[in-house]
Amino acid sequence: MATVLESNGHEVAWVAHDAVRHLLGKQQVFPAGAMPALPAREADVRGIAALRQLWSECLAPLALGMDDSTREAIARFSPDVMLIDQQAVGAALRAHEARIPWVTLASSPGELATRRDHPSIQQWTQDCVADVARRLDILSTPQDALFSRFGCVMPSCPALMGPVPQNLLVRDVGCLVRHRRSSTASIAPRPQGAHVLVTLGTVSHHATAKVLQAVLLAARGMGSRLHWTIIDPDGSLGESHLDQVRITKRVRQIDLLPGVDAVMCHGGHNTIAEAMLFGVPVVVAPIRDDQPYIAQRVVDAGAGLRIRFAHATAAHIADAVERITGESHFRQAAQVMGTELADGEARVWALLQAWLENPQRPLERPPSQASQTALVS
């Protein structure tokens, strides 16, 4: 998004942690230091327990740790507008305090499901935000720090998002990937047979290692007609002794996806959206947070199958992969969703361009909500 703004003549600065500064090139950065250590999250910590852990051990420390850099950026850069990650709650509070128009950038539709289906959790989250504001000595807070009254931009599509509550202004803009594609990526000769990418994230190391072992067993049992790329960030699998299996700690996923026939993942929104963009159906083994919701959206759209993460065996995985790669309707449904996710950069620029002409007004409402006149707050 920053790349799109800069390419159209706008000056952009970042408040960013050390771990991502190398991705920003020569852009102006107000360093926020090291990221708070993420909690070790076992697969059996779910629901409200996982949410409590997320806020107490990640989001609240993140807000406190970024505050000095955020205030420095506001004072020195004097932004006309701010684009704020939905989980950077402290920055949203500071933007509201400084009366700077700000738009929420949400990487996942999980909060939409919470607002629509779990009002008690929404109230608990608002209490967490209020506690952060007290710790930052901020007296004036927005009605909703997770969804700006100026609007929320989401790199998603209606099929993944689900219904949007009428009191929220949320614009889906499709998948934003152009700036992450490698200009030097080479296309390797494609072996005969289907190619499966397996990426389960790094949030539950012990449980993930167990599922990756089951994937390896499934790959062995399905023989050379399938080719597998398995992302194993902790090296729990060791080296592959199977010709049809490649094990690596990391990969440029966005460059690999155009040559993939199926993805097995844990339901992270970015991975799902990118797979759909390239018309690749998925086997989803969700763990927690927004992953079960996103997994169900994919299943409802007919673009994938869902298996149980905690009980996934080699037989379950092999059966799901066999169906995903062998039944064409899954790929057809993924391709339909891919059309909804296409042209993200052009769509987000059109949206932001209209807003920047008069940032005191909210984003333009989507056509489905254009007739509504109630103030979004």
Side-chain angles (χ1 to χ4, degrees), residues 269-282:
H269 178 261
N270 288 342
T271 296
I272 293 290
E274 290 171 7
M276 296 298 108
L277 179 66
F278 293 103
V280 180
V282 294

Side-chain angles (χ1 to χ4, degrees), residues 4 26 31 38 100 140 161 203 238 278 288 294 296 306 322 332:
V4 171
K26 297 181 179 180
L38 295 176
I100 299 172
S140 175
M161 290 164 53
V203 295
F278 293 103
R288 65 166 72 78
I294 294 169
Q296 193 57 48
R306 179 176 179 174
E322 183 77 45
Q332 292 166 0

Side-chain angles (χ1 to χ4, degrees), residues 23 45 53 55 68 99 104 127 154 167 197 204 225 228-229 233-234 260 283 292 311-312 332 338 343 345 347 355 374:
L23 301 174
V45 179
Q53 187 181 47
W55 272 92
D68 287 345
R99 298 185 178 181
T104 301
D127 292 342
M154 192 172 295
N167 66 323
L197 171 64
S204 303
R225 58 197 175 88
W228 304 71
T229 297
D234 296 324
V260 164
V283 175
H311 302 284
Q332 292 166 0
D343 301 321
E345 284 77 11
R347 291 164 61 187
W355 179 53

Side-chain angles (χ1 to χ4, degrees), residues 322-331:
E322 183 77 45
R323 289 192 58 196
I324 284 291
T325 57
E327 299 177 20
S328 62
H329 60 91
F330 291 111
R331 176 169 286 274

Side-chain angles (χ1 to χ4, degrees), residues 282-363:
V282 294
V283 175
V284 194
I287 306 174
R288 65 166 72 78
D289 301 331
D290 59 347
Q291 296 159 13
Y293 174 76
I294 294 169
Q296 193 57 48
R297 297 299 306 175
V298 171
V299 171
D300 290 345
L305 292 171
R306 179 176 179 174
I307 62 176
R308 297 179 65 185
F309 183 89
H311 302 284
T313 66
H316 294 140
I317 294 166
D319 179 65
V321 170
E322 183 77 45
R323 289 192 58 196
I324 284 291
T325 57
E327 299 177 20
S328 62
H329 60 91
F330 291 111
R331 176 169 286 274
Q332 292 166 0
Q335 290 171 341
V336 169
M337 199 181 297
T339 62
E340 296 184 355
L341 291 160
D343 301 321
E345 284 77 11
R347 291 164 61 187
V348 77
W349 167 239
L351 181 64
L352 292 179
Q353 183 182 34
W355 179 53
L356 291 172
E357 290 175 357
N358 184 2
Q360 294 299 328
R361 295 175 61 89
L363 297 176

Side-chain angles (χ1 to χ4, degrees), residues 196-211:
V196 183
L197 171 64
V198 180
T199 172
L200 298 178
T202 59
V203 295
S204 303
H205 304 290
H206 175 72
T208 297
K210 179 181 176 182
V211 176

Side-chain angles (χ1 to χ4, degrees), residues 51-297:
L51 186 61
R52 288 182 186 277
Q53 187 181 47
L54 178 66
W55 272 92
S56 65
E57 299 186 33
C58 183
L59 299 187
L62 184 70
L64 301 176
M66 291 181 63
D67 191 55
D68 287 345
S69 299
T70 301
R71 289 188 292 114
E72 181 186 8
I74 291 173
R76 290 178 49 198
F77 187 67
S78 299
D80 297 300
V81 299
M82 294 176 66
L83 306 178
I84 300 174
D85 188 287
Q86 190 173 55
Q87 294 189 334
V89 176
L93 295 173
R94 289 298 182 193
H96 177 81
E97 180 185 53
R99 298 185 178 181
I100 299 172
W102 57 282
V103 161
T104 301
L105 306 179
S107 63
S108 168
E111 277 294 330
L112 288 177
T114 298
R115 300 306 171 91
R116 190 177 60 245
D117 304 329
H118 304 286
S120 61
I121 295 179
Q122 178 188 349
Q123 182 58 56
W124 182 88
T125 301
Q126 290 176 337
D127 292 342
C128 290
V129 173
D131 180 65
V132 169
R134 285 192 294 270
R135 295 169 72 177
L136 294 176
D137 294 322
I138 295 176
L139 300 180
S140 175
T141 61
Q143 183 172 341
D144 195 334
L146 299 183
F147 288 95
S148 170
R149 73 176 185 87
F150 293 95
C152 173
V153 174
M154 192 172 295
S156 190
C157 66
L160 286 177
M161 290 164 53
V164 177
Q166 290 189 357
N167 66 323
L168 299 180
L169 173 51
V170 181
R171 293 299 306 268
D172 65 284
V173 295
C175 203
L176 304 174
V177 299
R178 185 185 303 168
H179 67 291
R180 293 191 288 112
R181 296 290 302 275
S182 173
S183 59
T184 60
S186 59
I187 301 176
R190 182 181 173 88
Q192 290 187 343
H195 186 182
V196 183
L197 171 64
V198 180
T199 172
L200 298 178
T202 59
V203 295
S204 303
H205 304 290
H206 175 72
T208 297
K210 179 181 176 182
V211 176
L212 288 179
Q213 289 287 351
V215 170
L216 199 56
L217 286 174
R220 180 178 291 112
M222 299 182 79
S224 60
R225 58 197 175 88
L226 288 180
H227 299 269
W228 304 71
T229 297
I230 303 175
I231 313 303
D232 179 20
D234 296 324
S236 61
L237 295 180
E239 296 183 2
S240 171
H241 300 290
L242 299 173
D243 292 339
Q244 70 270 29
V245 176
R246 173 195 175 201
I247 299 175
T248 180
K249 288 188 175 182
R250 59 181 58 87
V251 72
R252 285 187 63 88
Q253 176 175 291
I254 201 65
D255 291 334
L256 188 64
L257 281 169
V260 164
D261 297 285
V263 169
M264 177 178 170
C265 65
H266 63 312
H269 178 261
N270 288 342
T271 296
I272 293 290
E274 290 171 7
M276 296 298 108
L277 179 66
F278 293 103
V280 180
V282 294
V283 175
V284 194
I287 306 174
R288 65 166 72 78
D289 301 331
D290 59 347
Q291 296 159 13
Y293 174 76
I294 294 169
Q296 193 57 48
R297 297 299 306 175

